[in-house]
Amino acid sequence: MDGAESEAARWAGMPTWLLGQTAQHAARLVVDGFSSVGARGYHYRLLATLDDFGPASQASLGRRSGIHLSDMVATINELAELGFVERAADPSDRRRNVISLTTAGKRQLRRLESRLAAAQEEILAPLSAEERRRLTALLSTVLDHHNRQAGVPDERWR
């Protein structure tokens, strides 16, 4: 291999390329971890949102979890079928459903958090604790900037 072949292409060091490639690896690790317990990312996001904020309407859950309403209904149906959430009529508006986390749902959430922690550990393995904190802070700054540019409300992800 000559010198030119051993050097990285100019695009290989660009942050956009590096972010994209790293995101692909991270997504694969998370998908593999969740699928090992029969779950998907939407399952985790919905269960975690319910655990963080308590029972809520489908619309509120969609806003807080970032799951589109068309996907929200299917996700709730899947989780209800598995006994991880319960759907009940809202006493203040019988046309609306309130979704609640069950005890089994809390157990599933803990399993998913364990898989997510393992994926986080694997993707960030080469970094020290301080480097992980810095990376997270930098990525948050970049994401917050672009969310503001796109008009995404801050509370959606908080």
Side-chain angles (χ1 to χ4, degrees), residues 121 123-136:
E121 186 58 37
I123 197 73
L124 299 175
L127 302 179
S128 69
E130 177 55 30
E131 288 169 329
R132 291 174 188 206
R133 282 190 289 279
R134 284 195 344 247
L135 176 63
T136 300

Side-chain angles (χ1 to χ4, degrees), residues 143-152:
L143 181 59
D144 289 347
H145 167 79
H146 289 285
N147 279 345
R148 280 193 304 280
Q149 294 288 319
V152 176

